[in-house]
RNA sequence: GCGCCGGUAGCUCAGCUGGAUAGAGCACCAGGCUUCGAACCUGGGGGUCGGGGGUUCGAGUCCCUCCCGGCGUGCCA
């Protein structure tokens, strides 16, 4: 619809330019839906853009444009010049109604496209290391990444969801040590670390067991989940593991169990990854050494103070960074670079890295290193998101790692449910902070909750279908009704909104900004729920068979769009609530 | 100090490549259920779009500058 109008418009502009002896390019005119509906269905600013170039008054040009456009091949009912020189266009009424047929014909794929056909995209997200349960921030990232993936799939891209984690480095050793210390504590052979030690990250705690020192690491993991892991080991193995090194069974069991917990959380959110990658594999396959050699070959590596450094300054960055510590252990940077090289080698056309604000510092180094290694770093995108804060009873919920007052993604999920969790997490732009309002999310009067508001709009369409079925009526097919019977202004409003959906999806996908969907759905439901409220003026199932069929068509179209939109957010579209 | 991200109604936030009179939810006030679903709806009050300058026919949107907040600036993760 809009495309056709745009085409007509450009032709008219071309004609206008030709008349003035101007054979240049036509400007990128905006054809947009005005905020005020008194300004028509579409408004065009072409005359304003051309004024200087043609040396004529904008309104004059606008008049000429209106004349040249005519009825735009039957699309336009009325056109007028307004304000400083806008051309406001009113579409012929039946053109809006075409939207309904279009929706019913394609149904579930309305809003989708094949623009991404043959393009392989990897979306990497969550990527939390298996050292503890997912935080609310990870929860946000999980929903964000999944929704981006869903959007891209809907636009025809070949999407791989991937989770990468570091399991080879120092933090996993600390994890093993933490579990072992708690294990000995559970056995009763070691004392728990004093509170003063736990409160000070610089201090470590040492106890003697069988003449050997056992240490709770200074930066050990303090969460209750570590204690629980240790107690489970104690119950299963008794004291048989006392002589085992922390790096062996303790570390392995912890990684396995914690990772299982993470996957359970993701499962509960309906999020499934295609590929799990980890640092250890890269290490075992020699990928870390290889990347180091190749970076050395282009003179980006040097040694200093016993550590191996990447020359960030040569790459145009503000500093150099350590790749391998003087202890011999790599930092995160080296495996990250090796991992991204793998992404390139695996042939993805586009790589989207979703990451929290605290990780973005690393990104330019990875990107520039890719470039230096001869890859097209332009294929690598970053989507950054800020943190999540919780508000309960009008106050910020204080969270502290040290005091173990962390609210996990699981806690939150249990409290509000998956649909609300997803809606609230995706509702805001990723690059702003997210204030998760628990009062609103757990509101007993569900009507205040925007997630339910949209779902309710869907449920009502099913209620109408049930009523229709009771009257012996089936939902109509695309050609089974006369859309001209829908001529109330509020019906046209709904149809216009439905018509915007494909462009909205395209924009959200291209910009990797799923939050637009949440607002769109809220808006559409905000037209639809009031429409249904007026049961006399807008009664769908009535004695008027023709109008009933047309309105059932509208009901089905609205449901289709709401359902498609909710699916892109991973939220259920219920038949009843 | 430097870098990134924010600052829009009492609160939480939308605002597409610059467009006309800046929107929504919550909160607050006043109303509405013999209704295909009231988990809903109708109406109302409420704004120096952080401050200042600039570009433009036109700026919440672009540029400069300052202020405020978050994050980063580790041989932490």
């Amino acid at each position: 619809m809009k495309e056709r109008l745009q085409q007509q418009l450009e032709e008219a502009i071309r004609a206008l330019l030709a008349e003035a002896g101007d054979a240049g390019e036509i400007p990128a005119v905006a054809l947009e839906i005005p905020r005020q509906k008194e300004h028509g269905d579409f408004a065009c600013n072409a005359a304003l853009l051309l004024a200087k170039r043609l040396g004529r008054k904008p309104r004059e040009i606008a008049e000429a444009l209106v004349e040249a456009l005519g009825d735009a091949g039957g699309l336009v009912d009325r056109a007028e010049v307004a304000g400083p020189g806008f051309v406001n266009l009113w579409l012929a009424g039946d053109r809006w109604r075409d939207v309904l047929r279009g929706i019913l014909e394609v149904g579930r794929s309305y809003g989708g496209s094949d623009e991404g056909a043959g393009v392989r995209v990897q979306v990497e997200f969550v990527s939390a290391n298996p050292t503890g349960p997912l935080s609310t921030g990870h929860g946000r990232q999980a929903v964000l990444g999944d929704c981006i993936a869903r959007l891209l799939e809907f636009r025809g891209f070949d999407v791989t969801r991937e989770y990468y984690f570091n399991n080879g480095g120092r933090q996993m050793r600390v994890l093993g040590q933490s579990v072992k210390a708690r294990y000995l504590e559970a056995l009763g052979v070691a004392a728990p670390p004093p509170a003063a030690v736990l409160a000070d990250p610089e201090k470590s705690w040492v106890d003697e067991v069988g003449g050997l020192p056992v240490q709770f690491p200074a930066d050990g993991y303090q969460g209750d989940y570590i204690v629980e892991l240790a107690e489970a080991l104690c119950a299963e193995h008794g004291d048989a593991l006392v002589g085992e090194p922390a790096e062996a069974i303790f570390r392995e069991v912890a990684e396995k169990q914690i990772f299982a917990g993470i996957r359970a959380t993701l499962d509960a959110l309906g999020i499934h990854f295609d590929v799990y990658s980890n640092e250890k594999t890269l290490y075992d396959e020699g990928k870390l050494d290889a990347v180091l050699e190749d970076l050395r070959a282009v003179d980006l590596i040097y040694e200093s103070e016993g550590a191996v450094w990447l020359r960030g300054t040569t790459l145009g960055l503000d500093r150099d960074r350590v790749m391998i510590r003087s202890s011999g252990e790599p930092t995160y940077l080296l495996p990250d670079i090796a991992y991204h090289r793998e992404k390139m080698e695996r042939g993805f056309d586009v790589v989207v890295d979703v990451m929290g604000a605290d990780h973005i510092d690393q990104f330019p180094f990875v990107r520039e290193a890719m470039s230096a290694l001869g890859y097209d770093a332009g294929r690598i995108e970053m989507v950054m998101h800020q943190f999540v804060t919780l508000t309960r009873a009008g106050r910020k919920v204080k969270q502290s790692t040290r005091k173990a007052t962390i609210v996990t993604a699981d806690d939150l999920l249990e409290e509000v449910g998956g649909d609300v969790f997803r809606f609230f997490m995706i509702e805001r732009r990723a690059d702003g902070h997210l204030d998760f309002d628990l009062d609103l999310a757990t509101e007993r009067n569900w009507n205040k909750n925007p997630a339910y508001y949209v779902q309710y709009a869907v449920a009502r369409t099913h209620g109408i279908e049930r009523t229709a079925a009771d009257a012996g009526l089936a939902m109509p097919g695309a050609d089974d009704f006369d859309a001209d019977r829908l001529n109330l202004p509020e019906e046209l409003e709904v149809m216009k909104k439905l018509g915007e959906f494909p462009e909205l999806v395209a924009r959200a996908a291209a910009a990797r900004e799923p939050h637009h969907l949440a607002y769109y759905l809220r808006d559409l439901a905000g037209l639809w729920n009031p429409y249904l409220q007026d049961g006399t003026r807008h009664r769908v199932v009535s004695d008027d068979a023709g109008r009933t069929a047309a309105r059932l068509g509208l009901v089905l179209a609205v449901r289709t769009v709401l359902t498609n939109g909710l699916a892109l957010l991973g939220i259920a579209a219920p038949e009843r609530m």
Side-chain angles (χ1 to χ4, degrees), chain A residues 179-192:
Chain A
V179 174
K180 179 164 186 186
R182 292 300 196 188
Y183 166 78
L184 295 172
E185 184 187 324
L187 279 176
V189 298

Side-chain angles (χ1 to χ4, degrees), chain A residues 241-573:
Chain A
L241 305 179
V242 170
E244 292 290 324
E247 283 89 320
I249 185 167
F250 294 101
R251 181 194 159 295
E252 284 157 19
V253 166
E255 177 180 337
K256 201 174 149 204
Q257 298 279 329
I258 291 171
F259 206 69
I262 289 172
R263 291 184 67 156
T265 305
L266 294 169
D267 270 351
L269 279 169
I271 295 171
H272 307 284
F273 287 88
D274 301 301
V275 178
Y276 291 87
S277 297
N278 66 62
E279 175 189 7
K280 204 162 174 302
T281 309
L282 292 170
Y283 182 82
D284 292 345
E285 291 174 357
K287 301 285 168 64
L288 266 52
D289 291 337
V291 89
L292 207 53
E293 270 175 43
D294 292 339
L295 285 172
R296 203 186 296 275
V298 289
D299 196 29
L300 286 170
I301 297 292
Y302 67 91
E303 288 177 32
S304 173
E305 301 164 58
V308 178
W309 296 72
L310 176 70
R311 279 189 216 281
T313 45
T314 303
L315 295 169
L317 299 163
D318 60 344
R319 64 200 169 97
D320 297 342
R321 288 183 71 134
V322 171
M323 301 270 276
I324 299 179
R325 302 182 182 94
S326 51
S327 69
E329 275 180 322
T331 63
Y332 277 2
L333 185 55
L334 177 55
D336 269 14
I337 291 172
Y339 175 47
H340 277 79
R341 178 186 229 179
E342 283 298 291
K343 295 189 185 200
M344 297 288 98
E345 290 292 334
R346 283 160 61 195
F348 292 111
D349 300 298
V350 180
V351 163
V352 180
D353 288 352
V354 184
M355 60 182 77
D358 55 340
H359 280 61
I360 57 173
D361 185 58
Q362 183 111 313
F363 184 76
F365 289 85
V366 172
R367 205 206 313 240
E368 291 309 317
M370 283 303 105
S371 223
L373 289 172
Y375 298 96
D376 175 13
R379 284 150 62 193
I380 311 174
E381 295 175 24
M382 181 192 65
V383 173
M384 183 214 64
H385 70 92
Q386 295 279 357
F387 297 139
V388 177
T389 55
L390 301 174
T391 297
R392 190 195 297 280
R395 309 181 62 155
K396 288 260 182 285
V397 177
K398 286 187 181 158
Q399 300 201 55
S400 155
T401 313
R402 288 278 147 204
K403 291 176 184 163
T405 52
I406 289 291
V407 177
T408 64
D410 259 342
D411 296 336
L412 193 55
L413 189 52
E414 192 178 330
E415 186 166 353
V416 305
D419 287 341
V420 171
F421 186 101
R422 276 182 168 268
F423 195 93
F424 276 56
M425 286 299 190
I426 209 62
E427 203 187 355
R428 309 301 187 202
R429 280 166 54 207
D431 54 9
H433 288 274
L434 172 61
D435 187 69
F436 198 107
D437 186 346
L438 281 162
D439 300 322
L440 196 58
T442 60
E443 174 61 60
R444 274 195 296 279
N445 298 324
W446 291 1
N447 56 347
K448 290 173 185 167
N449 190 315
Y452 294 131
Y453 184 83
V454 175
Q455 290 185 313
Y456 182 55
V458 178
R460 289 176 108 170
T461 68
H462 287 280
I464 292 169
E465 179 170 355
R466 288 189 286 270
T467 301
D470 288 345
L473 298 171
M475 298 303 273
D479 298 314
D480 298 343
F481 61 92
D482 177 9
D484 286 347
R485 297 302 305 277
L486 301 167
N487 47 25
L488 295 173
E490 51 270 43
E491 289 168 338
L492 288 175
E493 279 299 299
V494 172
M495 288 188 269
K496 277 190 203 179
K497 197 76 191 171
L498 295 175
E500 291 173 28
F501 186 66
E503 193 182 338
L504 176 103
V505 173
R507 204 173 71 229
R512 328 298 189 214
E513 288 180 344
H515 75 278
H516 292 299
L517 281 166
Y519 280 89
Y520 172 86
L521 292 173
R522 222 288 158 195
D523 283 351
L524 178 55
L527 292 175
W528 185 239
N529 280 331
Y531 178 81
L532 292 188
Q533 194 66 22
D534 190 341
T536 50
R537 184 171 158 82
H538 301 143
R539 189 169 187 85
V540 174
V541 181
S542 69
D543 294 338
D544 185 336
R547 199 183 64 189
T548 297
R551 287 184 171 172
L552 283 174
L554 182 63
V555 166
L556 197 51
V558 169
R559 179 199 295 169
T560 300
V561 173
L562 287 172
T563 302
N564 290 1
L566 285 170
L568 286 169
L569 299 181
I571 297 174

Side-chain angles (χ1 to χ4, degrees), chain A residues 103-301:
Chain A
I103 294 171
L104 297 193
E105 275 171 358
V106 300
R108 186 63 191 80
S109 61
Y110 180 67
S113 81
D114 59 0
E115 67 176 325
V119 181
R120 296 185 59 208
V121 183
Q122 182 208 50
V123 183
E124 184 213 328
F125 60 111
V126 185
S127 293
N129 292 337
T131 57
L134 296 181
S135 65
T136 52
H138 291 129
R140 183 184 194 183
Q141 186 173 142
V143 175
L144 176 62
D146 185 57
C147 289
I148 289 172
R150 284 170 188 255
L151 269 168
L152 292 173
E153 283 169 342
F154 201 40
R155 300 303 290 183
F157 292 90
D158 177 7
V159 177
T160 299
R161 288 174 176 76
E162 189 149 332
Y163 187 124
Y164 167 80
F165 58 99
N166 294 94
N167 58 348
R170 203 186 79 87
Q171 80 286 342
M172 295 308 293
R173 203 178 63 235
V174 172
L175 179 69
Q177 290 166 353
S178 304
V179 174
K180 179 164 186 186
R182 292 300 196 188
Y183 166 78
L184 295 172
E185 184 187 324
L187 279 176
V189 298
V197 169
L198 290 182
D200 185 347
E202 298 300 317
K203 286 186 182 168
S204 79
W205 159 87
V206 180
D207 201 2
E208 298 283 329
V209 176
L212 296 170
V214 174
Q215 192 168 22
F216 191 87
D219 49 359
Y221 294 92
Q222 293 188 30
D224 291 340
Y225 62 95
I226 299 289
V227 177
E228 285 161 22
L229 270 171
E231 282 169 354
L233 281 173
C234 187
E236 191 183 342
H237 300 280
D239 64 1
L241 305 179
V242 170
E244 292 290 324
E247 283 89 320
I249 185 167
F250 294 101
R251 181 194 159 295
E252 284 157 19
V253 166
E255 177 180 337
K256 201 174 149 204
Q257 298 279 329
I258 291 171
F259 206 69
I262 289 172
R263 291 184 67 156
T265 305
L266 294 169
D267 270 351
L269 279 169
I271 295 171
H272 307 284
F273 287 88
D274 301 301
V275 178
Y276 291 87
S277 297
N278 66 62
E279 175 189 7
K280 204 162 174 302
T281 309
L282 292 170
Y283 182 82
D284 292 345
E285 291 174 357
K287 301 285 168 64
L288 266 52
D289 291 337
V291 89
L292 207 53
E293 270 175 43
D294 292 339
L295 285 172
R296 203 186 296 275
V298 289
D299 196 29
L300 286 170
I301 297 292

